[in-house]
Amino acid sequence: MNDHPPVPALTPANPSGGAVAQWGDARALDRSYPAGSATDQADEDIIDLREYWRLLMRRRATILLVVTLAVVLALVATFNATPIYRSTVLLQIDRTANKVVEYGNVTPEERSWFGDQEFYSTQYELLQSRTLARRVIDQVGLSTMEEESDEDSFASQAKNAGKGLIATLTGSAEEDDAGLVDPELAGRMEEERAFRNNLTVDPVPDSRLVRVSFESPSPEEAAAVANAIAANFISMNLERRYDASSYAKEFLQEQLDQMRVTLEESERRFVAYAREREIVNLDDRLEIVLNKLRTMNETLVKAEAERFAAEATWQEFQEASDGGSTGVLNSEVIQSLKTRLSNLQAEYEQNLQVYKPGYPKMQRLQSQIDELREEVGRETSAIASSVKGEYEAKLRKEQSVRERLRELKSEALALQDRSTDYETLRREVETNRELYDGLLQRMKEVGVAAGVGENNISVVDAAQVALAPYKPSLPKNLAIAIALGLFCGVGLAFLLEMLDDSIKANDDIERRVGGPVLSLVPFASARQHGLGDAEVPLIAFRDPKSAVAEAVRSLRTSLMFATSEGAPKILHFTSASPTEGKTTTAVSTAIAFAQAGGKVLLIDGDLRNPSLHRAFSLPNAQGLTNHLAGDTDPAEIAQPSMVKNLFVITSGPLPPNPVELLSTPKMADLLSLSAERFDYVIVDGPPVIGLADALVLANLSRATIFVAEPGMTRKQDVDGAIRRLQQANARVIGAVLTKVGRSGKGYGYGYGYGYGYGYSYDYLYSYGGKGGKSQLPQQADA
């Protein structure tokens, strides 16, 4: 064991007890790490393909199992299936046949794109109709469908069961099959269904060609059936056209007879009405009146415009003052008089400076001025009378035009009333005549077209006897099985990942803790380092070059930058649940600070399940409980460890009331005194869930570090623990992820260390959540 300096004096500085300030100046230096910041929200919108790849690697065993199962099922189905042969006939289906005559057909012929789609969809359905199937079966004389389908095979049974289930769920089974009691009819229906199941209609894209294929265990029968389908389809098409033409001719003849009677009756009513009212031609007279009405409307518009202009001029003249209207201003006589008046007034004002108003010369000037003013007034009144007279003339003209317009409207309405019945009867006659002529013309065309056999369907390539089976195809089945297996396996992997509520990535714990991930401690077993199970926390001391030691030194460096004053003096380590590595992390952190030259006191605050005495092989007869519950001096319970500068206070005997002991003023005084005597005080606390011990210690400490194990710690447990710590006013400065890369957990993280001039931190950035970022420093103490 290394030599240790003497234990610092732990005489209480405040013997009276009492809580001391927990934060000091460090409270103002709290490192805020808000959850859900703008950067995090932006990162969540980015698809991280590396994260998806890590997810697939974690669940690769599940994916491989599903793929293997799909491949095995495909092999069993392939080797148990009956060889099936396929023959194909290539048909060309045109919208219309070659025109022998130019008369139109009786079948609808749409020319739009949608019309083409409907036409060809109809033809494809006709190729799969039951009528065509029955004609081919009766012509070729197929063997029994039960023998052809080979019901004893596993593939046929599975196929029939699947089709039956789909038909039941979708309700697509033929209604004619329900309630059949005639065995012969039921057998015919079964033959037709089996026939259509082996028939495939495959249109060639962007063309008028369609491939009609038939599958059968016999290659000769497959070719014969395919050719028979083509021949019978062409025959059915010709028959439908001939039947449609015959029916159309009969229908048109009936309609023509009815329309002839209707036309004759309407003509008789029209002639009788015209003779009764002595009507010769009302169209010319009504047209003359309507033309006059249009002309009078135009005249009214012009009269209204002229009246509006005259009225505006008269209103302007009335509203103008001192002769300021446009008519007065434009009058040369008035303007000349005003000029002379202005000159006389100026002369009068000039002489007024020399003579008095009673002077004869002044009286003559005043007399001239008054005469000019009277003359200006007379001229203005004359202009006003002229403007008003023009306005009244325009108004009378407008009224006259409006009266004439009313007379013309009345005359036009009277003519229309008299001609309404006449026009109605005439239109009826014309309409009936057009309908009769159209029906007569159409019947003649149909009669000519019915005698011409038009065919718009032709065989391009006849079906040949197949030389090799069409199915089953082993490469195709294996490819489908692998694709389906991968799809289902990946889907199952994502489902299991969604159901997994554990912490998996940095951002999972950072959002919940509200602080950065200070370090990632890799998983390490005691056997790997030649230690006992109880000595796992000492791996950083036993093997300074291990990944655990490097991770702990990184944690120490992160804590040095936690505040502006360096690492917090009193550090509390806790977790949501037991066995998450908080003790190992606390011990390793204490060893790292001690190896850096600081005096460290490690306190076992877990009074329910203590473990520090086993890790350091120290006696536990006296410890923290002896001081809290008795009068034992703190110097007597602090024990030196095998690590230089590291002292340990074990738990001591387990008390029945751990919370009450930790809540006493002695505990606060002990931490305060320890912070004065040691550089760092590290408290290994109990888990938060279900216990109040960790809340008391978190409140007494200057900083709390939350420890979680990826793949094990549940998110809701972390949320509950952090919520309880916040209620206790704990200062959680960050989190530590332990047992990273643990075998069997599926959370693989690469660890690469090179021992040259320093350590490599590859593993610190391989565990990064969305965005792959790390909050750790990029260098550590060598």
Side-chain angles (χ1 to χ4, degrees):
M1 181 178 294
N2 296 334
D3 295 336
H4 291 276
V7 179
L10 292 177
T11 304
N14 186 8
S16 62
V20 297
Q22 299 301 317
W23 303 108
D25 297 336
R27 182 183 297 271
L29 300 175
D30 184 12
R31 292 182 61 195
S32 61
Y33 195 87
S37 62
T39 304
D40 295 338
Q41 294 175 359
D43 292 341
E44 290 188 3
D45 295 336
I46 301 175
I47 298 178
D48 190 353
L49 298 180
R50 292 175 297 180
E51 180 65 21
Y52 289 145
W53 176 252
R54 286 193 290 267
L55 185 153
L56 296 178
M57 290 297 100
R58 289 197 297 269
R59 303 290 180 178
R60 58 183 177 273
T62 301
I63 299 175
L64 290 178
L65 178 62
V66 174
V67 172
T68 302
L69 181 61
V71 170
V72 170
L73 291 177
L75 290 175
V76 172
T78 300
F79 290 115
N80 197 34
T82 301
I84 300 297
Y85 295 86
R86 168 182 277 193
S87 292
T88 302
V89 59
L90 183 63
L91 300 178
Q92 178 178 341
I93 303 177
D94 296 319
R95 288 287 284 112
T96 57
N98 295 329
K99 290 289 185 179
V100 179
V101 294
E102 290 299 326
Y103 301 132
N105 207 331
V106 296
T107 55
E109 297 181 0
E110 297 86 354
R111 293 298 180 180
S112 64
W113 182 86
F114 296 101
D116 288 342
Q117 291 296 316
E118 293 177 359
F119 171 78
Y120 285 106
S121 297
T122 303
Q123 300 302 313
Y124 304 150
E125 290 298 324
L126 290 174
L127 282 169
Q128 303 176 77
S129 63
R130 293 169 55 184
T131 303
L132 180 60
R134 173 48 52 190
R135 291 182 58 159
V136 175
I137 292 174
D138 294 340
Q139 176 183 346
V140 179
L142 297 179
S143 58
T144 305
M145 289 300 167
E146 287 78 4
E147 296 177 0
E148 291 181 358
S149 59
D150 193 12
E151 291 183 351
D152 295 335
S153 67
F154 170 79
S156 298
Q157 293 178 3
K159 179 179 179 181
N160 293 334
K163 290 185 177 181
L165 178 60
I166 294 174
T168 302
L169 294 177
T170 59
S172 60
E174 288 87 351
E175 296 179 358
D176 297 340
D177 296 346
L180 291 178
V181 294
D182 187 356
E184 182 179 356
L185 182 58
R188 292 169 61 88
M189 296 291 295
E190 185 62 29
E191 289 179 353
E192 294 170 3
R193 180 181 293 107
F195 179 91
R196 291 191 293 162
N197 289 339
N198 294 325
L199 177 65
T200 302
V201 178
D202 183 20
V204 179
D206 301 328
S207 71
R208 293 171 292 175
L209 303 178
V210 57
R211 295 187 179 92
V212 181
S213 305
F214 189 80
E215 300 174 3
S216 173
S218 171
E220 294 80 7
E221 185 177 69
V225 171
N227 290 324
I229 291 173
N232 282 274
F233 182 63
I234 294 174
S235 299
M236 288 177 59
N237 181 65
L238 293 175
E239 293 172 2
R240 284 195 307 274
R241 288 175 176 269
Y242 180 79
D243 293 342
S245 298
S246 300
Y247 172 78
K249 186 176 180 180
E250 295 177 0
F251 174 78
L252 289 174
Q253 183 62 50
E254 295 177 0
Q255 295 296 319
L256 190 63
D257 295 338
Q258 296 178 6
M259 186 53 61
R260 183 185 299 110
V261 174
T262 303
L263 176 60
E264 293 174 354
E265 181 64 25
S266 61
E267 287 178 343
R268 281 195 296 270
R269 288 199 306 270
F270 176 72
V271 172
Y273 182 86
R275 182 181 297 110
E276 179 183 354
R277 288 165 177 76
E278 298 180 354
I279 297 176
V280 179
N281 190 354
L282 294 177
D283 293 340
D284 295 341
R285 184 177 177 185
L286 181 60
E287 183 66 23
I288 293 172
V289 174
L290 294 177
N291 289 334
K292 290 181 178 181
L293 188 62
R294 285 192 291 269
T295 303
M296 194 57 60
N297 277 324
E298 296 175 357
T299 304
L300 178 61
V301 171
K302 294 179 180 179
E304 287 179 345
E306 293 175 356
R307 193 261 301 170
F308 287 153
E311 184 177 5
T313 303
W314 172 241
Q315 290 180 353
E316 179 188 3
F317 191 87
Q318 289 180 325
E319 295 173 358
S321 61
D322 298 333
S325 63
T326 305
V328 174
L329 295 177
N330 293 334
S331 175
E332 296 180 357
V333 176
I334 294 177
Q335 295 302 322
S336 175
L337 293 175
K338 285 186 176 182
T339 301
R340 292 173 55 193
L341 178 61
S342 177
N343 293 334
L344 289 176
Q345 287 177 345
E347 183 180 355
Y348 181 83
E349 292 296 331
Q350 183 178 4
N351 292 330
L352 190 61
Q353 297 177 2
V354 180
Y355 306 104
K356 292 183 179 182
Y359 191 74
K361 183 178 182 179
M362 297 298 291
Q363 290 179 354
R364 285 195 304 272
L365 289 175
Q366 183 64 41
S367 176
Q368 293 176 2
I369 291 173
D370 293 339
E371 291 177 359
L372 287 176
R373 284 177 179 174
E374 292 177 359
E375 189 172 355
V376 169
R378 286 193 298 271
E379 290 294 332
T380 302
S381 298
I383 293 175
S385 298
S386 174
V387 171
K388 182 178 180 181
E390 184 179 359
Y391 163 67
E392 292 176 350
K394 299 296 184 183
L395 181 60
R396 287 192 297 273
K397 180 181 178 181
E398 178 187 358
Q399 293 174 351
S400 175
V401 173
R402 196 179 299 276
E403 181 65 25
R404 178 56 179 164
L405 183 62
R406 282 196 295 267
E407 294 175 358
L408 290 174
K409 286 183 178 179
S410 299
E411 184 178 358
L413 291 174
L415 289 174
Q416 289 179 351
D417 292 340
R418 289 196 298 269
S419 63
T420 298
D421 295 338
Y422 176 82
E423 292 296 331
T424 301
L425 292 174
R426 188 176 66 175
R427 284 194 300 270
E428 182 181 359
V429 171
E430 293 175 353
T431 301
N432 292 335
R433 185 177 291 111
E434 291 176 359
L435 291 175
Y436 179 79
D437 294 341
L439 288 173
L440 183 61
Q441 179 67 23
R442 185 57 177 161
M443 191 184 69
K444 294 179 179 179
E445 293 177 358
V446 169
V448 175
V452 180
E454 297 181 354
N455 183 23
N456 62 324
I457 303 173
S458 59
V459 177
V460 178
D461 291 328
Q464 302 292 330
V465 177
L467 302 178
Y470 170 71
K471 61 180 180 182
S473 175
L474 182 60
K476 179 180 178 181
N477 291 349
L478 288 179
I480 294 175
I482 293 174
L484 290 178
L486 286 175
F487 179 78
C488 297
V490 171
L492 181 60
F494 276 96
L495 177 62
L496 294 176
E497 192 71 14
M498 292 177 61
L499 297 177
D500 186 2
D501 190 34
S502 62
I503 296 296
K504 305 179 188 66
N506 278 12
D507 57 349
D508 290 341
I509 191 69
E510 287 174 351
R511 285 196 302 267
R512 287 164 173 81
V513 172
V517 173
L518 300 174
S519 182
L520 307 173
V521 180
F523 174 78
S525 62
R527 183 184 305 175
Q528 182 181 0
H529 296 273
L531 302 175
D533 292 339
E535 297 179 321
V536 172
L538 300 178
I539 292 178
F541 174 70
R542 299 294 188 187
D543 189 1
K545 295 184 178 182
S546 66
V548 174
E550 180 62 20
V552 173
R553 284 191 285 270
S554 175
L555 173 59
R556 179 190 65 194
T557 304
S558 299
L559 292 174
M560 295 299 294
F561 294 100
T563 66
S564 59
E565 299 177 356
K569 296 281 289 184
I570 304 176
L571 288 172
H572 170 229
F573 285 81
T574 186
S575 62
S577 305
T579 69
E580 294 187 0
K582 57 180 177 54
T583 299
T584 301
T585 305
V587 172
S588 301
T589 304
I591 292 173
F593 277 112
Q595 289 177 341
K599 294 181 181 180
V600 183
L601 176 63
L602 179 61
I603 301 176
D604 195 343
D606 191 351
L607 302 184
R608 301 176 188 269
N609 185 23
S611 58
L612 291 184
H613 62 283
R614 291 192 297 270
F616 288 95
S617 301
L618 297 175
N620 197 29
Q622 285 191 339
L624 181 62
T625 56
N626 298 97
H627 172 70
L628 298 179
D631 298 330
T632 305
D633 190 78
E636 297 177 7
I637 61 175
Q639 306 179 54
S641 68
M642 62 189 71
V643 182
K644 184 179 179 181
N645 295 329
L646 177 59
F647 297 86
V648 180
I649 295 180
T650 61
S651 65
L654 299 183
N657 53 347
V659 179
E660 287 76 4
L661 289 180
L662 295 175
S663 301
T664 60
K666 283 188 175 182
M667 187 64 192
D669 293 340
L670 175 63
L671 292 177
S672 177
L673 182 62
S674 301
E676 296 176 359
R677 299 293 185 266
F678 290 89
D679 295 327
Y680 303 102
V681 178
I682 297 178
V683 180
D684 177 23
V688 178
I689 300 298
L691 302 175
D693 307 18
L695 305 182
V696 176
L697 293 175
N699 182 268
L700 296 175
S701 303
R702 296 188 180 180
T704 297
I705 298 177
F706 194 84
V707 179
E709 179 183 354
M712 292 295 294
T713 305
R714 300 182 63 186
K715 296 177 181 178
Q716 62 180 10
D717 292 344
V718 176
D719 293 338
I722 295 300
R723 192 180 304 111
R724 297 190 67 193
L725 289 172
Q726 291 174 349
Q727 293 173 355
N729 296 325
R731 184 193 184 199
V732 182
I733 63 173
V736 175
L737 294 178
T738 61
K739 305 178 186 179
V740 177
R742 183 175 182 178
S743 176
K745 294 299 180 183
Y747 297 91
Y749 304 88
Y751 305 97
Y753 292 91
Y755 296 94
Y757 293 97
Y759 297 106
S760 170
Y761 276 82
D762 295 341
Y763 82 97
L764 298 178
Y765 299 95
S766 65
Y767 185 86
K770 296 181 180 179
K773 299 182 295 184
S774 175
Q775 301 295 334
L776 302 179
Q778 299 189 16
Q779 69 277 349
D781 299 338

